[in-house]
Amino acid sequence: MDTPTKRIPAAERRAVTVEAVLSLAGDQNPSDITTAAIAQRMNVTQGALFRHFPSKDAIWEAVMEWVAERLLARIDDAAHGVESPLAAMEAMFMTHVAFAAEHPGMPKMVFSELQRAEQTPAKRMVQTLLQRYGKRLHGLIEKGKATGELYAELDVEAAATLFIGTVQGLVMQALVAGDVGPMLGDAPRVFAIYRRGIGSSK
């Protein structure tokens, strides 16, 4: 039975659950995480966990929703008020890499969900995140083309895809190496190459 000290508000319990899942994902394959392990990390019973989430899929959806909201808010803040489209994209790039470094379980969760064959609520949330992220990039790239900062013939879709793929590549290498620290130092040099590829020669 839960003790009174564990009877925290539902919103707070959900936030603690997300933190527990991301923490576990940082240490192991997300697909191997059980509800028993989540409850143990939170120091509650599985019964207490399922009072807030009807299923494991619901927990995963909540985690992906948290990731989407926080990541998009962070990149929006980074780009806010930056007049240069390229500078705004660079700020978004660095912010995304920093977010992944702060939450190493996050990219592992995202990659794990995208690999699942079935269309789960969490997978749909990841797909929505990528669509919303891409829309922001499309706007900045179009603006850059209009102002002459990016070359006029630039393929907007390809440039947006490469942006996200470059971040994912940095993160994947960090996960393989088992150390997210170096990617923070690599990010400026990597973006400089991307910048030269899409920037106007004028």
Side-chain angles (χ1 to χ4, degrees):
M1 178 178 291
D2 294 337
T3 63
T5 57
K6 294 175 183 173
R7 297 189 186 284
I8 58 179
E12 185 178 346
R13 175 59 57 85
R14 291 176 69 87
V16 172
T17 305
V18 168
E19 292 174 6
V21 173
L22 289 176
S23 176
L24 288 165
D27 300 329
Q28 65 185 92
N29 187 330
S31 63
D32 294 334
I33 298 173
T34 63
T35 54
I38 298 169
Q40 184 177 23
R41 182 63 62 98
M42 296 169 63
N43 196 29
V44 299
T45 65
Q46 287 193 70
L49 182 62
F50 284 119
R51 280 201 291 273
H52 296 276
F53 299 94
S55 65
K56 183 178 177 180
D57 278 346
I59 297 174
W60 258 231
E61 183 180 13
V63 173
M64 289 299 99
E65 183 179 8
W66 184 95
V67 167
E69 290 177 353
R70 299 305 189 282
L71 177 57
L72 291 175
R74 289 276 287 272
I75 65 172
D76 285 345
D77 285 346
H80 180 72
V82 180
E83 289 300 320
S84 161
L86 260 177
M89 291 173 69
E90 182 172 9
M92 290 169 61
F93 189 93
M94 300 308 165
T95 298
H96 189 160
V97 172
F99 186 84
E102 291 172 23
H103 307 283
M106 178 270 290
K108 293 175 68 175
M109 291 284 296
V110 170
F111 291 139
S112 177
E113 284 305 311
L114 289 177
Q115 290 174 22
R116 295 181 65 173
E118 66 272 29
Q119 189 73 342
T120 65
K123 184 175 181 178
R124 284 194 293 271
M125 184 62 67
V126 173
Q127 292 168 335
T128 299
L129 164 62
L130 293 175
Q131 291 168 0
R132 293 169 66 188
Y133 200 135
K135 185 176 181 179
R136 286 160 168 77
L137 289 171
H138 287 187
L140 286 170
I141 294 167
E142 291 287 9
K143 181 180 178 182
K145 291 174 65 174
T147 61
E149 192 171 19
L150 306 182
Y151 73 88
E153 295 78 17
L154 180 64
D155 184 324
V156 175
E157 185 68 32
T161 298
L162 182 59
F163 180 102
I164 295 175
T166 302
V167 175
Q168 292 173 333
L170 273 171
V171 173
M172 181 63 74
Q173 290 184 62
L175 293 178
V176 170
D179 184 4
V180 298
M183 73 177 176
L184 295 172
D186 293 340
R189 296 184 292 112
V190 171
F191 187 83
I193 296 173
Y194 175 79
R195 182 187 186 114
R196 285 196 294 272
I198 67 173
S200 171
S201 59
K202 295 181 181 179

